[in-house]
C-alpha cells in the first residue's frame, strides 16, 4: 500500500489536535514528528482505533505481527496468496468496523462508545478468522476461501490534486460527489450504471475525471464537506443501496476549496444564465419550423422571409448564390420562389390575389337558363389580302374608302344578320404591329376566318394566323379571296395551307375552304352559311338573364363621351344603368352605342356596342363585369388598381446580375426619347411595341411618356425638357394653346394617321443618330525595289504589282505580310511628274507623310475609305 495519510488529516477526522495524534502515534511506536508527517494507511487505521478506544488496539499490532509471524514461520510460502489472504482478513475486520460506523451514521463524538461495542463483536470474529488463517497457513488453501467477496479495507481519501481537477466540474456534480478510490471493477460497474442515468455529456466528464460521481444522490451523505477526510468504506461486503435516478438539485454554494474557488465559480454561474437567456431568445423562432406557406404571387424578399420564419439574410444569400442580386424589398418571381422552396424545404402555395376580384367564368354548359347565342367571328389574314373588303362586302358597306391610307388601324366589331341569324365579326388589322391584338381577338372568338388572297397564297402573316388559330383551338374556315382575279390559284393556296396543317375538306381534311370575292361579292353567302353551320355544331350558349360579362375589344378617350370601350357581351345582358368594373376602371353604363351609331338600351350575348360611362380608359382585352352596386364596383376596381400597381412595382424593382449588365450596356446606347399620344388604346399599344422593336446595338427608342387622348401642354413641356426627344401624335393633333406653346418652345410635334409613316420617320431619325460606317476599298499594291533619301523624307522606288496606286487616299506599308504603318500618301510620281494614279506594271516613286522607314522588299498598298449608308 502506497497510500499515505498525514497526521493532521487523522486529527481532523477525529476532531482532535494534531499534536495529540503525534503523541498517540509515538505511544504506539509509530514514528511521526509533526502534523505534516505521514503514516501508512494501516498505521493510520491502527492509530485511529487506538485514539478512539483509548488503548493500544490489538489489530494494528496483529497486522504487523501476523504477517511477520507467517513470514518467519513459513518463509517459503511468504509469497503465496495465503499471506495476502491474512492481510485481507485483518483488513476486513477494520472495514466492518468502519462500515458499521458509517451505516449507523454515528457522530464522531459518540463514535467511541459505539465503536467499543462493535469492537467486541468484531474482536471475536477477527480472532476466529486469524486463528483460522493461521491454521490454513501450512495447509493448502481451499479454493473457496480464495474467492473472497470482500475486497478488503479501503480508505477513501479526498486527495488534494483531485480537488483541484474538480474545479472544472459543475457545482451540482461537485456537491453530490464523493471522492473515492475503488477497485477497477467497482468503478466500471458504477460508471456503467451512472451512464444510463445521465446525459452523455455528463457521463463523458465522469469517465475523464478522477472524481467519480458513482453514488449519485444516495452517497451524498457519504460525501463530507471537510477537507482531507478519511472515510472507510467496504464497497463489496455491504449491500449497496439501489441507485436512485439522480434528481436535479439546486446548485449548492461552491465548496470553499482554495482562495480562487469562489471567484471562478461565481462568474461562471452568471454566464450560464445569460447564455441560457440568449439561447432561449434565439431558439424560440427556430422552434417554429415552417413546412407550408401560402403566399401571394407578388411577394417581397422580406415578406417571404417572414413567412418562412427565417432571417432575410438567408433568403438573400441563396438568391445571391444563384446570381440574383436582390434586396429585401424586391419582389420574388415564380422561379425564385420555386428555388427557395426547395432550398428551405417548404411547400409553397401561391394564392392569386386577383382571385379576390375576378369572377370565375360561369360554366355555361351547366347553366339551365342558357340559350343559344350568335357566333363571334374573327377575320384574320395577311396584309392586303382583303379582310376589310370582305367584311365590307358582308356588311354591304365600304369602310376602306374612309380609312386613312386604306389600312384598318384598330379593332372594330360589327354584328350582321344572315337570314335573320346574327353573326358578330371582329375585324383585326393585318399589320404586324397588331399581332397581340389579334391574339386578344381569338380570346373572344368562336370561329376564325382566315383570309388568303387566292392570287398571292400563304404569306408570313398567314402562317402567324394559322399558329394563333391552332393555339386558340377555335374552328377555322378559310376564305379564298380575290377569286375574281384571273391570277387566282385556289389549288395552289390549298396545297400551301395543307402543308401547314389546314387540310381542305374536299381533299379529305376538316377545314372548309370557301372561294370568295370581296370585290364581286361572290361566295359571301356561302361563307356566312358555313359560319352558321359551324356555329350550330359548336352549340354556343349564354344566359341572357345573368349579370353581364363582356370583353373589351377596343377602348379610347372620346371628346364629349370620355373613356369609351367597344365590347362584345360574352354572357348575360349589359344594360344602360348597370354598374360595371373593367380592370381598374369602373362606372355606370351611361350609353350603349351600336355599330350603326344608334343608342341601345340593352346588349344581348355576342352583340357589340361602345360603352360610355367609365371613369378611365380600360385596356383592350380586359373583361367588363356588371356589379350589384357602385360600392362593389369601386371596391373591385380599387383592389385591381392596387394589384396592378404592385405588379408594376414588382417589375421595376426586380433586377438580376444579368439585368444589371444589360442596363450598363443600355446606358451606352443612343436613345431617341418619344412622347406618344394616340386616339385609342389599341393603337397606343401597337405603336409602342413597334417602336420598341426599332433598335439595334447602337440606337433604340425609349417611350418616356404615352397616353390616349389629345396632346397637352404637359407633353410639350416634357419634350422641351428632354434631350433627343420627339413628340408623336397618332390620329391626334395639337390645337390652340398647345400649338402656340410648342411653337414658342420650338418643340416639333409630328402627327400621323398611318402607322407605317410614323414608323418610317422614327427609323429615319434613328438612322441619323447612328455613327457612319465605312468600308475599305483597296486600289492596288506596289513592291518597293529601292529607297532614296530626299530632304522631304524617303522616296520608295516601286513597281505596281496589283491594281493601281492612287494619290489622295490612305496608304499602308506591309513588311513580310505584316502591316507596319498606316498613313497618308504625300506624293506619287512617275519619273519627275506628279500623277494621280499609277497602273499595274509601272514604276513609280512614293513618299509617305511622316514616315521614312521603308526598305526594299516592303509592299505599299493604297486604299480608300468609303462611307456606307447605315440602316436600322
Ligand atoms: N380584285 C380584288 N381585289 C380585292 C379583293 N378584296 C380586296 N381587294 C383589294 O385588295 C386591297 C386590300 O384590301 P383590304 O381589304 O384593305 O385588305 P386588308 O387585308 O383589310 O388590309 P389591311 O387592313 O391593310 O390589313 C384593296 O385594294 C382591295 O380593293 C377581291 O376580292 N378582289
Amino acid at each position: 500500500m502506497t497510500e499515505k495519510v498525514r497526521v493532521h488529516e487523522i486529527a481532523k477526522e477525529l476532531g482532535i489536535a494534531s499534536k495529540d495524534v503525534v503523541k498517540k502515534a509515538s505511544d504506539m511506536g509509530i514514528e511521526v514528528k509533526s502534523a505534516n508527517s505521514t503514516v501508512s494507511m494501516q498505521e493510520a487505521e491502527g492509530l485511529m482505533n487506538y485514539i478512539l478506544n483509548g488503548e493500544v488496539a490489538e489489530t494494528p499490532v496483529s497486522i504487523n505481527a501476523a504477517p511477520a509471524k507467517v513470514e518467519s514461520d513459513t518463509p517459503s510460502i511468504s509469497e503465496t496468496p495465503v499471506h495476502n489472504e491474512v492481510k485481507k482478513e485483518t483488513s476486513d475486520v477494520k472495514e466492518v468496523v468502519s462500515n458499521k460506523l458509517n451505516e449507523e451514521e454515528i457522530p464522531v463524538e459518540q463514535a467511541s462508545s459505539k465503536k467499543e461495542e462493535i469492537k467486541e463483536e468484531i474482536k471475536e470474529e477477527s480472532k476466529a478468522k486469524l486463528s483460522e488463517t493461521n491454521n490454513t497457513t501450512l495447509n493448502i488453501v481451499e479454493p473457496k476461501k480464495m474467492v473472497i467477496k470482500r475486497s478488503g479495507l479501503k480508505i477513501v481519501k479526498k486527495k488534494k490534486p483531485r480537488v483541484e481537477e474538480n474545479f472544472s466540474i459543475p457545482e451540482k456534480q461537485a456537491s453530490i460527489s464523493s471522492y473515492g478510490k475503488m477497485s477497477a471493477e467497482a468503478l466500471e460497474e458504477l460508471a456503467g450504471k451512472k451512464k444510463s442515468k445521465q446525459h452523455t455529456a455528463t457521463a463523458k466528464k465522469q469517465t475523464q475525471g478522477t472524481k467519480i460521481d458513482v453514488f449519485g444522490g444516495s452517497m451524498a451523505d457519504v460525501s463530507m464537506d471537510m477537507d482531507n477526510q478519511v472515510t472507510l468504506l467496504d464497497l463489496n461486503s455491504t449491500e449497496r443501496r439501489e441507485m436512485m435516478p439522480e434528481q436535479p438539485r439546486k446548485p449548492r454554494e461552491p465548496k470553499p476549496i482554495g482562495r480562487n474557488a469562489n471567484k471562478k465559480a461565481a462568474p461562471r454561474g452568471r454566464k450560464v444564465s445569460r447564455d441560457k437567456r440568449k439561447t432561449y431568445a434565439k431558439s424560440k423562432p427556430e422552434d417554429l419550423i415552417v413546412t407550408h406557406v401560402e403566399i401571394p404571387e407578388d411577394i417581397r424578399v422580406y415578406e417571404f422571409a417572414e413567412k418562412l420564419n427565417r432571417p432575410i439574410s438567408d433568403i438573400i444569400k441563396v438568391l445571391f448564390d444563384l446570381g440574383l442580386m436582390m434586396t429585401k424589398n424586391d419582389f420574388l418571381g415564380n422561379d425564385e420562389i420555386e428555388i427557395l422552396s426547395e432550398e428551405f424545404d417548404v411547400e409553397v402555395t401561391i394564392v392569386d390575389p386577383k382571385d379576390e376580384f375576378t369572377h370565375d367564368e360561369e360554366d355555361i354548359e351547366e347553366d339551365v337558363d342558357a340559350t343559344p347565342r350568335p357566333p363571334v367571328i374573327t377575320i384574320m389574314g395577311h396584309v392586303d389580302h382583303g379582310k376589310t373588303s370582305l367584311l365590307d362586302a358582308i356588311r354591304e358597306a365600304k369602310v376602306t374608302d374612309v380609312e386613312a391610307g386604306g389600312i384598318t388601324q384598330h379593332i372594330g366589331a360589327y354584328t350582321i344578320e344572315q337570314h335573320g341569324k346574327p353573326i358578330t365579326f371582329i375585324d383585326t388589322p393585318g399589320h404586324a404591329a397588331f399581332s397581340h391584338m389579334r391574339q386578344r381577338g381569338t380570346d373572344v372568338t368562336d370561329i376564325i376566318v382566315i383570309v388568303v388572297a387566292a392570287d398571292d397564297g400563304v404569306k408570313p402573316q398567314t402562317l402567324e394566323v394559322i399558329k394563333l388559330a391552332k393555339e386558340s383551338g377555335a374552328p377555322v374556315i378559310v376564305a379564298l379571296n380575290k377569286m375574281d382575279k384571273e391570277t387566282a390559284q385556289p389549288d395552289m393556296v390549298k396545297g400551301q395551307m395543307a402543308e401547314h396543317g389546314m387540310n381542305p375538306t374536299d381533299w379529305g381534311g376538316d377545314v372548309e375552304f370557301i372561294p370568295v370575292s370581296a370585290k364581286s361579292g361572290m361566295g359571301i353567302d356561302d361563307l356566312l352559311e358555313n359560319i352558321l353551320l359551324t356555329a350550330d355544331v359548336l352549340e354556343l350558349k349564354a344566359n341572357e338573364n345573368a349579370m353581364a360579362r363582356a370583353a373589351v375589344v377596343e377602348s379610347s378617350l372620346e371628346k364629349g363621351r370620355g373613356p369609351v370601350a367597344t365590347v362584345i357581351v360574352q354572357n348575360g345582358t349589359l344594360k344602360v344603368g348597370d354598374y360595371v368594373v373593367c380592370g381598374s376602371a369602373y362606372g355606370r353604363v351611361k350609353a350603349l352605342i351600336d355599330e350603326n351609331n344608334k343608342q341601345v338600351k340593352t346588349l344581348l350575348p355576342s352583340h357589340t356596342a361602345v360603352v360610355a360611362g367609365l371613369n378611365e380608359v380600360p385596356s383592350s382585352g380586359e373583361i367588363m363585369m356588371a356589379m350589384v352596386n357602385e360600392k362593389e364596383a369601386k371596391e373591385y376596381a380599387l383592389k385591381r388598381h392596387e394589384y396592378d400597381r404592385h405588379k408594376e412595382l414588382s417589375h421595376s424593382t426586380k433586377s438580376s446580375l444579368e439585368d444589371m449588365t444589360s442596363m450598363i450596356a443600355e446606358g451606352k446606347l443612343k436613345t431617341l426619347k418619344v412622347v406618344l399620344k394616340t386616339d385609342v388604346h389599341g393603337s397606343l399599344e401597337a405603336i409602342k411595341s413597334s417602336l420598341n422593336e426599332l433598335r439595334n446595338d447602337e440606337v433604340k427608342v425609349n417611350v418616356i411618356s404615352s397616353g390616349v387622348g389629345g396632346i397637352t401642354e404637359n407633353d410639350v413641356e416634357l419634350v422641351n425638357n428632354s434631350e433627343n426627344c420627339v413628340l408623336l401624335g397618332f390620329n391626334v393633333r395639337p390645337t390652340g394653346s398647345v400649338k402656340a406653346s410648342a411653337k414658342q418652345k420650338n418643340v416639333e410635334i409630328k402627327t400621323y394617321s398611318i402607322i407605317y409613316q410614323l414608323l418610317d420617320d422614327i427609323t429615319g431619325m434613328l438612322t441619323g443618330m447612328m455613327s457612319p460606317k465605312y468600308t475599305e476599298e483597296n486600289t492596288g499594291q506596289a513592291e518597293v525595289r529601292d529607297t532614296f533619301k530626299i530632304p522631304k523624307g524617303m522616296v520608295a522606288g516601286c513597281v505596281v504589282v496589283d491594281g493601281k496606286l492612287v494619290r489622295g487616299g490612305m496608304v499602308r506599308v506591309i513588311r513580310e505580310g505584316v502591316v507596319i504603318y498606316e498613313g497618308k500618301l504625300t506624293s506619287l510620281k512617275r519619273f519627275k511628274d506628279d500623277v494621280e494614279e499609277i497602273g499595274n506594271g509601272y514604276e513609280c516613286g512614293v513618299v509617305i507623310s511622316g514616315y521614312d522607314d521603308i526598305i526594299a522588299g516592303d509592299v505599299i498598298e493604297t486604299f480608300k475609305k468609303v462611307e456606307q449608308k447605315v440602316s436600322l
Side-chain angles (χ1 to χ4, degrees):
M1 254 191 216
T2 52
E3 288 294 330
K4 296 270 183 188
V5 183
R6 290 192 188 276
V7 168
H8 66 81
E9 289 173 340
I10 300 167
K12 207 166 189 183
E13 165 73 11
L14 299 175
I16 58 170
S18 296
K19 61 175 186 189
D20 293 339
V21 180
V22 173
K23 192 172 174 293
K24 293 280 179 193
S26 61
D27 289 351
M28 281 179 73
I30 300 168
E31 231 182 82
V32 284
K33 285 173 185 162
S34 67
N36 270 334
S37 303
T38 55
V39 292
S40 72
M41 284 296 183
Q42 282 175 335
E43 285 170 338
E45 286 152 24
L47 188 56
M48 282 172 80
N49 277 335
Y50 173 59
I51 295 164
L52 288 170
N53 299 331
E55 56 182 30
V56 178
E58 284 174 36
T59 321
V61 178
S62 62
I63 287 168
N64 293 329
K69 195 181 166 190
V70 171
E71 265 172 40
S72 60
D73 288 353
T74 53
S76 58
I77 53 161
S78 62
E79 281 172 40
T80 61
V82 180
H83 173 72
N84 294 333
E85 202 58 40
V86 174
K87 279 192 178 176
K88 263 191 178 170
E89 287 299 327
T90 45
S91 303
D92 282 353
V93 177
K94 294 294 148 218
E95 187 186 37
V96 174
V97 176
S98 161
N99 270 333
K100 288 207 172 181
L101 281 168
N102 278 330
E103 273 170 14
E104 290 174 34
E105 294 179 9
I106 306 158
V108 179
E109 307 86 56
Q110 296 167 19
S112 134
S113 60
K114 191 81 189 169
K115 277 188 178 177
E116 266 194 48
E117 285 170 41
I118 299 162
K119 200 188 135 225
E120 289 305 314
E121 254 178 75
I122 295 162
K123 251 187 197 169
E124 295 300 314
E125 207 182 314
S126 109
K127 271 181 186 169
K129 279 187 180 172
L130 274 170
S131 62
E132 198 183 323
T133 312
N134 288 335
N135 293 338
T136 54
T137 321
L138 300 169
N139 301 323
I140 296 161
V141 180
E142 283 179 42
K144 266 189 183 177
K145 273 247 167 183
M146 294 293 287
V147 190
I148 297 165
K149 282 183 183 168
R150 294 174 287 181
S151 63
L153 187 89
K154 298 276 179 193
I155 294 176
V156 180
K157 183 191 172 233
K158 188 161 69 180
K159 281 185 171 183
K160 273 189 179 164
R162 285 182 187 169
V163 171
E164 301 253 300
E165 281 170 43
N166 289 333
F167 283 131
S168 62
I169 297 167
E171 292 159 33
K172 189 178 153 191
Q173 283 187 25
S175 66
I176 57 165
S177 299
S178 93
Y179 312 111
K181 181 174 174 291
M182 286 166 252
S183 69
E185 313 106 76
L187 285 176
E188 236 172 69
E189 182 195 343
L190 291 165
K193 283 189 183 179
K194 194 73 187 161
K195 223 180 214 175
S196 63
K197 285 186 204 170
Q198 295 201 336
H199 294 296
T200 329
T202 324
K204 207 175 167 190
K205 253 185 178 171
Q206 285 169 344
T207 50
Q208 284 169 347
T210 47
K211 176 187 147 191
I212 302 154
D213 184 9
V214 288
F215 301 107
S218 65
M219 279 308 284
D221 302 332
V222 178
S223 171
M224 283 159 272
D225 278 349
M226 288 178 288
D227 283 334
N228 308 324
Q229 291 171 335
V230 176
T231 312
L232 306 172
L233 293 175
D234 180 358
L235 295 173
N236 291 336
S237 66
T238 54
E239 264 203 352
R240 272 175 258 135
R241 261 198 265 171
E242 214 187 311
M243 277 185 277
M244 299 296 288
E246 192 184 321
Q247 295 296 313
R249 285 180 176 214
K250 215 173 136 188
R252 284 185 193 170
E253 281 292 306
K255 283 178 106 186
I257 312 160
R259 198 183 293 177
N260 296 323
N262 279 338
K263 280 185 189 169
K264 271 192 181 175
R268 193 186 164 87
R270 280 201 301 278
K271 199 180 168 203
V272 167
S273 65
R274 190 161 57 233
D275 284 356
K276 267 187 184 169
R277 270 204 309 278
K278 268 190 196 165
T279 324
Y280 178 70
K282 256 190 186 172
S283 68
K284 200 181 177 184
E286 278 163 19
D287 290 339
L288 275 158
I289 296 163
V290 181
T291 53
H292 179 251
V293 283
E294 275 192 3
I295 56 161
E297 195 187 357
D298 292 301
I299 189 164
R300 288 168 199 265
V301 170
Y302 79 88
E303 290 166 336
F304 191 75
E306 274 171 19
K307 289 265 183 192
L308 256 64
N309 202 31
R310 281 183 178 276
I312 298 165
S313 54
D314 282 10
I315 311 287
I316 290 175
K317 194 189 169 292
V318 172
L319 294 169
F320 187 83
D321 291 346
L322 293 167
L324 293 161
M325 301 276 280
M326 290 181 98
T327 67
K328 64 174 193 168
N329 287 320
D330 286 340
F331 285 87
L332 293 165
N334 282 353
D335 290 348
E336 288 122 39
I337 289 169
E338 202 180 312
I339 291 161
L340 288 169
S341 68
E342 265 176 41
E343 188 71 27
F344 295 108
D345 205 15
V346 173
E347 198 186 315
V348 175
T349 311
I350 296 177
V351 191
D352 190 356
K354 213 176 169 185
D355 293 345
E356 270 188 61
F357 48 83
T358 48
H359 288 304
D360 287 336
E361 219 170 297
E362 305 86 2
D363 201 341
I364 300 297
E365 303 260 313
E366 285 169 22
D367 193 336
V368 283
D369 296 330
T371 50
R373 65 165 175 87
V376 178
I377 319 298
T378 297
I379 296 182
M380 295 198 228
H382 189 69
V383 65
D384 280 351
H385 275 202
K387 298 179 295 294
T388 310
S389 299
L390 188 61
L391 196 65
D392 289 346
I394 293 166
R395 293 180 67 219
E396 290 173 346
K398 298 278 178 189
V399 180
T400 311
D401 293 347
V402 295
E403 265 186 15
I407 299 163
T408 315
Q409 298 294 351
H410 49 80
I411 290 176
Y414 319 89
T415 306
I416 57 112
E417 275 191 15
Q418 170 74 358
H419 305 312
K421 286 184 177 175
I423 305 170
T424 297
F425 286 93
I426 300 171
D427 177 22
T428 57
H431 194 274
F434 293 88
S435 66
H436 70 283
M437 285 170 67
R438 280 204 306 259
Q439 236 165 331
R440 281 188 190 144
T442 58
D443 286 340
V444 286
T445 297
D446 300 314
I447 300 161
I448 292 169
V449 172
I450 300 177
V451 180
V452 188
D455 64 334
D456 203 15
V458 172
K459 292 284 167 220
Q461 275 179 286
T462 318
L463 295 177
E464 209 179 299
V465 168
I466 291 170
K467 194 170 161 259
L468 284 174
K470 281 181 182 168
E471 278 169 14
S472 76
V476 171
I477 295 171
V478 177
L480 289 167
N481 196 26
K482 305 193 185 181
M483 283 300 285
D484 59 290
K485 281 195 166 180
E486 279 180 15
T487 47
Q489 292 176 283
D491 281 348
M492 182 264 295
V493 178
K494 279 183 186 173
Q496 289 176 338
M497 291 295 274
E499 268 177 42
H500 295 96
M502 295 282 154
N503 289 312
T505 43
D506 49 345
W507 287 15
D510 54 0
V511 180
E512 288 291 346
F513 279 64
I514 317 290
V516 293
S517 168
K519 198 173 181 182
S520 68
M522 183 270 273
I524 301 292
D525 269 341
D526 200 9
L527 178 67
L528 296 177
E529 284 305 320
N530 255 287
I531 288 171
L532 287 174
L533 259 170
T534 314
D536 276 351
V537 177
L538 292 173
E539 290 182 15
L540 304 163
K541 279 180 180 174
N543 179 4
E544 290 179 13
N545 302 315
M547 296 282 277
R549 178 194 154 94
V552 176
V553 291
E554 184 55 273
S555 62
S556 61
L557 190 65
E558 273 185 25
K559 229 175 184 174
R561 275 188 187 155
V564 290
T566 306
V567 299
I568 293 178
V569 177
Q570 292 185 302
N571 195 36
T573 302
L574 187 65
K575 297 181 271 294
V576 171
D578 273 356
Y579 289 102
V580 288
V581 64
C582 192
S584 56
Y586 72 98
R588 194 175 188 186
V589 179
K590 274 193 220 155
L592 288 169
I593 303 120
D594 75 0
E595 64 266 25
N596 302 315
N597 216 14
K598 271 192 213 154
Q599 294 232 3
V600 288
K601 289 268 175 257
T602 56
L603 203 62
L604 289 168
S606 298
H607 282 77
T608 178
V610 172
V611 178
L614 292 168
N615 68 334
E616 59 181 65
V617 181
S619 302
S620 42
E622 201 61 79
I623 297 293
M624 182 180 280
M625 312 279 309
M627 306 300 288
V628 179
N629 53 40
E630 192 182 6
K631 189 173 165 267
E632 204 190 41
K634 199 172 176 178
E635 266 176 22
Y636 264 65
L638 277 174
K639 273 187 191 170
R640 178 58 194 270
H641 181 75
E642 194 60 30
Y643 172 83
D644 288 347
R645 205 180 65 90
H646 230 71
K647 250 206 137 51
E648 186 77 19
L649 271 173
S650 117
H651 291 302
S652 59
T653 56
K654 237 182 267 178
S655 67
S656 65
L657 272 181
E658 217 174 276
D659 289 342
M660 283 164 87
T661 321
S662 64
M663 272 155 70
I664 292 162
E666 292 268 295
K668 290 174 189 157
L669 280 180
K670 288 183 198 163
T671 308
L672 175 69
K673 290 177 198 149
V674 165
V675 173
L676 175 67
K677 296 303 282 278
T678 67
D679 59 336
V680 291
H681 215 283
S683 303
L684 185 79
E685 287 180 22
I687 295 168
K688 261 169 82 174
S689 68
S690 295
L691 286 175
N692 284 332
E693 280 168 26
L694 289 180
R695 60 178 294 161
N696 63 12
D697 291 345
E698 200 185 347
V699 290
K700 67 158 192 166
V701 174
N702 180 15
V703 181
I704 58 166
S705 170
S706 64
V708 173
I711 296 163
T712 63
E713 280 193 51
N714 273 349
D715 298 329
V716 174
E717 192 62 37
L718 189 60
V719 175
N720 190 38
N721 292 329
S722 310
E723 234 180 279
N724 272 346
C725 191
V726 53
L727 210 169
L728 304 177
F730 186 78
N731 278 347
V732 290
R733 293 194 65 81
T735 50
S737 61
V738 177
K739 210 172 176 180
S741 161
K743 206 173 178 182
Q744 190 203 337
K745 287 170 181 150
N746 217 10
V747 168
E748 195 189 346
I749 301 170
K750 289 178 166 281
T751 56
Y752 305 86
S753 51
I754 298 168
I755 199 165
Y756 291 133
Q757 284 174 2
L758 185 149
L759 297 177
D760 279 354
D761 267 15
I762 299 299
T763 309
M765 282 185 215
L766 287 173
T767 313
M769 287 167 72
M770 285 162 69
S771 322
K773 277 191 180 137
Y774 295 96
T775 50
E776 201 181 283
E777 197 185 288
N778 289 313
T779 54
Q781 288 184 343
E783 260 179 38
V784 179
R785 296 281 158 89
D786 210 346
T787 54
F788 316 94
K789 187 98 179 125
I790 55 160
K792 276 187 189 170
M794 186 74 80
V795 177
C798 321
V799 176
V800 178
V801 290
D802 181 32
K804 54 190 179 185
L805 287 199
V806 185
R807 206 160 79 146
M810 302 285 288
V811 69
R812 58 171 67 101
V813 180
I814 305 159
R815 189 171 294 163
E816 284 166 8
V818 180
V819 177
I820 56 164
Y821 182 75
E822 227 175 71
K824 274 188 177 171
L825 193 135
T826 314
S827 84
L828 182 66
K829 284 183 193 272
R830 168 94 180 133
F831 302 116
K832 285 188 177 173
D833 306 324
D834 280 325
V835 288
E836 286 303 305
E837 56 178 58
I838 301 283
N840 195 356
Y842 290 99
E843 288 183 346
C844 61
V846 176
V847 179
I848 299 168
S849 158
Y851 188 76
D852 53 10
D853 181 27
I854 303 172
I855 54 168
D858 286 350
V859 173
I860 288 175
E861 182 182 77
T862 55
F863 63 96
K864 281 181 183 168
K865 276 193 172 170
V866 184
E867 192 180 325
Q868 254 198 337
K869 221 183 163 195
V870 283
S871 61
L872 210 60

